[in-house]
């Protein structure tokens, strides 16, 4: 009561605000104007726009003022950094709020993983909201470290930082009205439900929307985007490290539909966050592609706030949180200062706050595999014609190709003159001994192997190599360090990035993770001759995700995503 009365007195000019940002060019996300004036701030709230004198004053020197940026869909784990370190990377770029989907760590650690993300993001100057993972495991065609049902999720659905259900990847299950999915949708009634249903259309799309799914971030064509806008879905335009859809989709944004469009990163690696940026990069790219700067700012602020029901965020107006970004101009969108709830938290691309690591003791030691032998890696082929996964440059998609491969006594034989590598997925949560075996073309690796415990979304242990000795050595290394990425060559480990949190995240500062990854990328390209059109670690991470076509490999075998079924490696044994 008192606080409200005080805010009214300050707004009315009867009392001086604690802080006034003077002389700014304020982007008004409601009227679409740029209005010159001061911003009166009291505590965590904006209380007035106009001409004010404050106890403390900061002169903005006529710079532009935007609301803090809001990422509508991001997996913190994909940055390989903890939430605290992730905040250090993105706040200097102007992001003050994220809607996170912790399905990566949930696939490894179940509810403990979600608790960790909520707990470790509580005391940082970044608002971290969470969508409860709806699909753990993503599909029935893989073994994850947990299975989450509605009754598991229910204890968190009314948490004030939980905004609803995360990406509904099991779109066939939604369309069939499967009981498990219905349970989760009813549990989330009144909250937001995120989609992941790029390939559906027509009546199936109606079924998906009427089920309560209100957003889509997996569009890769303008047609998919328009189809979904027409049915009332919000469109999240994604620019991440894995998938880069902005330049394609932005063409379909116009002044009539832009208020239903927002930005997201989905999965972004540390080097991209630190070098390219976060939503400041999306905004810059959109403006370069012809979008009006004010519209681009609306997409990064008020649109996301309205999409997720965040009524106190997304605008520079009385009563809104004082989440404020000061920009040098509306062309390069260089972020000069960032305020979070009225406090200066970043300046000239530097975080002005320190972070202490939260307790992660319940989400480590997560690699639990049955020892793998050379015998386990033998690929039986009755003919020499195989179903091979052909990698496409800068894409999560693989192409199914049928190729003649070398064999010996009925088993696959490495051929140094052919670019056909062995891909192995080892179940790593319950030591079941499950192993998926596949063949990959266009990765180009020579004399070595790369292993990783990042393998969306079940995050089993995935390895690619051109000889079994290095494959076995790499498996042993990532298992020994409790999860991570390693490069083995000629019987030696060249480098390992340790990811002790769930086998997904490092405890190191984000700058160190970036430096280690850059060194490993260099080793992959220089020492092992990996295809420079492929980002090896991100590509490897998505080769196990059976919701993106054509062929993917899980611990249960080679999966034909288009026909939604397992197939044999020997192409003569499987009808297409
Ligand atoms: N992390 C992720 N999980 C599921 N689907 C995805 N598509 C892109 N990134 C993804
Ligand atoms: Mn996602």
């Amino acid at each position: 009561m008192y606080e409200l009365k005080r805010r009214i007195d300050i707004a009315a000019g009867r009392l001086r605000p604690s802080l006034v940002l003077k002389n700014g060019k304020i982007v008004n996300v409601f009227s679409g104007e740029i209005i010159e004036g001061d911003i009166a701030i009291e505590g965590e709230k904006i209380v007035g726009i106009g001409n004010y004198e404050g106890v403390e004053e900061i002169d903005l020197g006529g710079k532009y003022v935007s609301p803090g940026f809001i990422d509508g869909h991001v997996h913190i784990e994909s940055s390989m950094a903890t939430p605290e370190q992730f905040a250090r990377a993105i706040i200097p770029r102007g992001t003050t709020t994220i809607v996170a989907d912790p399905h990566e760590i949930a696939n490894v650690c179940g509810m403990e993983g979600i608790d960790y993300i909520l707990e470790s993001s509580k005391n940082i100057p970044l608002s971290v909201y969470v969508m409860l993972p709806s699909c753990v495991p993503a599909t029935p065609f893989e073994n994850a470290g947990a299975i989450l049902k509605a009754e598991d999720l229910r204890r968190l659905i009314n948490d004030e930082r939980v905004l609803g259900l995360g990406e509904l990847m099991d779109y066939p299950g939604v369309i069939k009205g499967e009981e498990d999915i219905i349970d989760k949708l009813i549990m989330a009634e009144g909250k937001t439900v995120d989609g992941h249903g790029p390939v559906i259309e027509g009546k199936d799309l109606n079924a998906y929307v009427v089920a309560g799914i209100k957003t889509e971030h997996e569009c890769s064509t303008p047609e998919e985007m328009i189809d979904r806008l027409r049915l009332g879905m919000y469109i999240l335009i994604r620019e991440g490290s894995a998938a880069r859809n902005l330049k394609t989709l932005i063409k379909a944004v116009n002044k009539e539909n832009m208020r239903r469009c927002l930005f997201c990163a989905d999965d972004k690696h540390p080097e991209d966050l630190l070098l390219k940026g976060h939503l400041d990069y999306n905004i810059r790219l959109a403006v370069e592609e012809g979008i009006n700067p004010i519209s681009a700012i609306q997409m990064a602020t008020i649109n996301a706030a309205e999409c997720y029901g965040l009524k106190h965020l997304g605008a520079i107006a009385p009563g809104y949180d004082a989440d404020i970004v000061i920009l040098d101009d509306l062309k390069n969108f260089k972020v000069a200062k960032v305020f979070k709830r009225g406090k200066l938290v970043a300046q000239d691309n530097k975080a002005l706050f320190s972070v202490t690591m939260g307790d992660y003791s319940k989400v480590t030691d997560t690699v639990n595999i049955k020892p793998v032998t050379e015998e386990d890696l033998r690929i039986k082929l009755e003919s020499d014609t195989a179903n091979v996964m052909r990698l496409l440059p800068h894409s999560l998609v693989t192409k199914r190709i049928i190729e003649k491969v070398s064999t010996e006594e009925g088993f696959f034989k490495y051929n140094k003159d052919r670019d056909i590598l062995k891909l192995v997925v080892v179940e790593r949560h319950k030591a079941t001994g499950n192993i998926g075996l596949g063949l990959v073309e266009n990765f180009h690796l020579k004399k070595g192997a790369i292993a990783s415990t990042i393998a969306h979304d079940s995050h089993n242990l995935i390895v690619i190599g051109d000889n079994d000795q290095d494959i076995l050595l790499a498996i042993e290394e990532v298992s020994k360090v409790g999860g991570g990425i390693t490069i083995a060559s000629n019987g030696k480990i060249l480098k390992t990035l340790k990811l002790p949190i769930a086998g997904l995240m490092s405890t190191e500062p984000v700058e160190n993770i970036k430096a280690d990854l850059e060194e490993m990328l260099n080793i992959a390209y220089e020492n092992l001759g990996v295809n420079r059109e492929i980002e090896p670690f991100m590509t490897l991470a998505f080769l196990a995700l059976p919701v993106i076509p054509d062929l993917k490999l899980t611990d249960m075998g080679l999966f034909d995503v288009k026909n939604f079924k397992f197939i044999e490696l020997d192409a003569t044994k499987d009808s297409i």
Side-chain angles (χ1 to χ4, degrees), residues 205-239:
L205 188 54
N206 279 307
Y208 199 59
V209 177
V210 84
I213 290 137
K214 280 285 173 265
T215 77
E216 184 54 72
H217 64 273
E218 289 280 347
C219 295
S220 51
T221 67
E223 294 70 28
E224 279 178 312
M225 176 174 155
I226 301 299
D227 270 357
R228 284 150 182 78
L229 280 168
R230 286 177 182 141
L231 298 185
M233 291 183 108
Y234 274 96
I235 296 298
L236 282 73
I237 295 184
R238 173 174 59 183
E239 190 65 17

Side-chain angles (χ1 to χ4, degrees), residues 521-558:
L521 262 180
N522 197 40
I523 293 169
Y525 291 137
E526 295 299 324
N527 298 48
L528 272 63
V530 168
N531 179 351
R532 286 181 180 275
E533 286 195 321
I534 301 272
E535 199 287 8
F537 312 121
M538 184 68 85
T539 300
L540 208 46
F542 280 95
L543 284 181
L545 182 58
V547 289
I548 293 184
D550 282 350
L551 289 187
K552 295 292 170 93
L553 184 69
T554 79
D555 69 302
M556 292 162 75
L558 184 61

Side-chain angles (χ1 to χ4, degrees), residues 75 103-104 169 196 218 238 266-267 456-457 542 545:
H75 304 282
H103 77 201
E104 314 300 358
M169 289 172 281
H196 172 122
E218 289 280 347
R238 173 174 59 183
D266 204 353
D267 309 277
H456 293 284
D457 283 337
F542 280 95
L545 182 58

Side-chain angles (χ1 to χ4, degrees), residues 191-207:
K191 296 206 165 203
T192 304
V193 182
D194 280 339
H196 172 122
V199 293
I200 45 185
E201 54 194 354
K203 290 194 172 63
D204 284 352
L205 188 54
N206 279 307

